Amino acid sequence: MGSVVDGVRDAAARGDLHLLGDVRAAFTDACDVVGLAGVAVLVLVLVLVRRGPDG
């Protein structure tokens, strides 16, 4: 398993547009997962703040 940069370099060296599309899709999916995790943490913090110190 390599990095996105390795995937782009490999796809460019081969001239493989399909591989480049797959690398792009994998990168986008990873960013979506990180974004959703961030939203989940934000919602959890907002719920805890709304509850107040007494719980």
Side-chain angles (χ1 to χ4, degrees):
M1 184 164 117
S3 70
V4 172
V5 174
D6 293 336
V8 170
R9 284 183 184 156
D10 192 31
R14 295 181 189 183
D16 189 348
L17 294 178
H18 182 71
L19 178 59
L20 187 60
D22 288 345
V23 171
R24 180 177 176 255
F27 178 76
T28 303
D29 290 344
C31 288
D32 290 345
V33 169
V34 170
L36 287 174
V39 169
V41 169
L42 178 62
V43 168
L44 177 63
V45 168
L46 290 174
V47 167
L48 292 175
V49 167
R50 186 173 176 132
R51 284 181 152 185
D54 296 331

